[in-house]
Amino acid sequence: MAQHMRHVAEDAQLTALRSEVRRFLQRERESGSFVPEPNSWITGWDPTFSKRLAQRGWIGMTIPPEYGGSGATLVERLVVVEEVVAAGAPVAAHWVSDRQIVPSLLKYGTEFQRRLILPGIASGDIYFAIGMSEPDSGSDLASVHTKAERVEGGWTMRGSKIWTSGAHESHYFIVLARTAPLVTDHRHEGLSQFVVALDSPGIDIRPVLSMDGTHHFNEVFFDDVFIPDEMVFGEIGDGWIQVTSELGFERSGPERFLSTMPVLEEMASVSRAGTIDHPSLGLYFARIVTLHQMSLSVNAALLGNGASDAEAAIVKVLGTSLEGDIVETAASVGYPTDANDDRLRLVTERGLFTRPGYTIRGGTNEILRGVIARALGLR
Ligand SMILES: Cc1cc2nc3c(=O)[nH]c(=O)nc-3n(C[C@H](O)[C@H](O)[C@H](O)COP(=O)(O)OP(=O)(O)OC[C@H]3O[C@@H](n4cnc5c(N)ncnc54)[C@H](O)[C@@H]3O)c2cc1C
């Protein structure tokens, strides 16, 4: 199973890019443009920061020049993503567009859709949300009830989605819906994807507040929302294949092991000051180095001959467990009374509030362990 877990060396060009991104982030931090936060790729919504990244060509990097991008490699994109997530920079506004929509549009989108959307993603102006989960369909995604029915010139949609991150601030979302009745023995058939403008008539976006009182999630209702034929995404009936084909990229990226790096850095800084001494800190950095290499090799394989779902699942299970361990260690060591006290307390509290989501979003660890077990031939 682990045939793709091979060492990928970082060449001089990638190292230079990494240094450039670090210098940029340091300048931004020093100018007060952001304060490092754990989980910033989900909760750090700042379109002005996204625009500044875009001006450097660091959003939609893999978009070919004819659609407004620079045609960079996926590994170059990973270097930028590792740095911005580790720095706790506010990258949530463009996150879904950059990670998910770019590769999906390049693979399944029509020429019309690519020209409509890709230039706006590369310039940091178009933000997307994901409309998959429903109140009774999370892990069992194939059971979605939202329906799209054929009408003249397009489709009309009824139903609802839940846990839709950032829908209240995004321009579009990509929706998985039933376009043919559910047949029990062929549950993955009859599903299709649509690109839906979030300001379409008939859409009602209602906030679902997180436990710290912030508005990040939404429930989105469709009351006969018209979707023109041009916004059907990929092929009608191929929704399941399309959704699952991108999961490897979604599950093996740096955001699955670096979300709590600001907490670890704060702990390390307090530790250097001699106020706490926790033997796990070095081990956590060692686990991050290992996950960095695993993530890089799985992504390189996804681009070439492909990596299995299980390999990406291993990165996500190990990575998100590590993210949680870091926060729990920070909470357990207590807060020393030196100058770093408030920062460590702040990032730890933010981490504790967001920690439950790390092992749920993008497929729960229980589900992913099932994927790994099946690949190992276990039942
Ligand atoms: C921070 C965050 C952001 C999110 N953003 C989005 C978004 O933007 N768009 C979107 O569509 N969704 C989003 N989600 C939703 C997410 O995809 C779902 O929460 C996830 O798929 C789990 O579904 P569920 O919540 O319905 O839980 P359920 O599927 O009901 O699972 C409940 C529990 O049962 C376990 N379980 C379920 N089935 C099995 C099984 N077969 N074997 C073993 N255990 C099982 C699960 O592991 C879990 O512990 C987000 C979630 C979080 C936490």
Side-chain angles (χ1 to χ4, degrees), residues 6-337:
R6 294 204 183 102
H7 183 78
V8 178
E10 190 164 303
D11 62 18
Q13 198 189 337
L14 289 177
T15 305
L17 174 62
R18 192 180 289 284
S19 303
E20 193 188 343
V21 180
R22 278 189 190 172
R23 282 195 300 274
F24 165 78
L25 290 167
Q26 190 175 345
R27 281 198 305 276
E28 287 283 321
R29 246 191 332 258
E30 285 167 1
S31 72
S33 108
F34 75 93
V35 177
E37 289 275 347
N39 202 43
S40 67
W41 61 277
I42 286 267
T43 47
W45 194 282
D46 181 353
T48 61
F49 186 83
S50 293
K51 287 287 286 181
R52 286 199 293 284
L53 275 184
Q55 279 156 10
R56 282 167 178 75
W58 292 340
I59 297 183
M61 291 174 73
T62 57
I63 297 175
E66 64 264 37
Y67 302 116
S70 55
T73 65
L74 183 76
V75 176
E76 287 171 306
R77 176 187 173 268
L78 285 182
V79 165
V80 173
V81 168
E82 278 191 335
E83 292 303 322
V84 294
V85 175
V91 290
H94 65 268
W95 190 264
V96 170
S97 297
D98 180 66
R99 179 186 69 187
Q100 218 130 328
I101 303 304
V102 168
S104 298
L105 274 175
L106 290 174
K107 192 165 179 186
Y108 298 114
T110 62
E111 191 58 18
F112 169 80
Q113 292 164 353
R114 290 177 185 178
R115 296 214 173 270
L116 178 74
I117 293 165
L118 289 176
I121 290 181
S123 63
D125 290 306
I126 292 186
Y127 310 138
F128 262 79
I130 302 170
M132 290 207 229
S133 307
E134 296 184 8
D136 295 319
S137 308
S139 301
D140 184 17
L141 192 59
S143 68
V144 291
H145 290 93
T146 294
K147 283 193 182 62
E149 284 175 5
R150 194 86 183 93
V151 292
E152 196 184 335
W155 297 77
T156 183
M157 191 172 280
R158 287 192 77 77
S160 71
K161 295 288 171 183
I162 196 165
W163 314 125
T164 324
S165 305
H168 57 304
E169 303 190 87
S170 297
H171 304 95
Y172 296 98
F173 76 154
I174 186 144
V175 178
L176 182 71
R178 268 226 158 262
T179 44
L182 176 82
V183 178
T184 312
D185 291 342
H186 302 275
R187 306 171 72 248
H188 297 157
E189 292 173 11
L191 292 166
S192 307
Q193 283 185 292
F194 299 85
V195 175
V196 181
L198 279 156
D199 60 357
S200 305
I203 286 195
D204 183 13
I205 304 173
R206 298 184 200 163
V208 177
L209 297 188
S210 301
M211 62 175 155
D212 62 356
T214 55
H215 179 192
H216 157 73
F217 289 124
N218 300 275
E219 195 160 12
V220 183
F221 295 86
F222 307 87
D223 185 6
D224 284 339
V225 174
F226 176 72
I227 302 151
D229 280 329
E230 305 86 73
M231 297 309 243
V232 169
F233 186 70
E235 297 295 326
I236 290 293
D238 281 357
W240 187 258
I241 299 167
Q242 292 170 198
V243 161
T244 50
S245 84
E246 297 301 328
L247 279 179
F249 290 110
E250 191 189 332
R251 290 177 173 163
S252 61
E255 72 275 25
R256 303 304 181 181
F257 58 94
L258 289 174
S259 299
T260 55
M261 191 69 177
V263 181
L264 185 56
E265 290 208 329
E266 231 23 84
M267 268 199 289
S269 136
V270 173
S271 174
R272 275 194 297 275
T275 337
I276 60 169
D277 178 19
H278 200 287
S280 304
L281 298 190
L283 283 177
Y284 290 151
F285 280 108
R287 282 164 72 183
I288 285 175
V289 171
T290 310
L291 281 156
H292 152 79
Q293 189 51 237
M294 287 169 72
S295 165
L296 206 58
S297 56
V298 169
N299 274 276
L302 284 167
L303 278 183
N305 299 329
S308 69
D309 290 349
E311 286 168 322
I314 291 171
V315 175
K316 185 169 181 292
V317 170
L318 294 179
T320 55
S321 303
L322 167 67
E323 292 176 335
D325 290 348
I326 290 172
V327 173
E328 276 158 27
T329 298
S332 72
V333 296
Y335 305 106
T337 51

Side-chain angles (χ1 to χ4, degrees), residues 343-364:
R343 273 296 297 155
L344 181 56
R345 185 193 306 273
L346 186 73
V347 289
T348 304
E349 283 173 1
R350 293 280 157 82
L352 283 171
F353 275 124
T354 53
R355 186 246 179 287
Y358 305 161
T359 52
I360 297 175
R361 58 195 182 201
T364 69

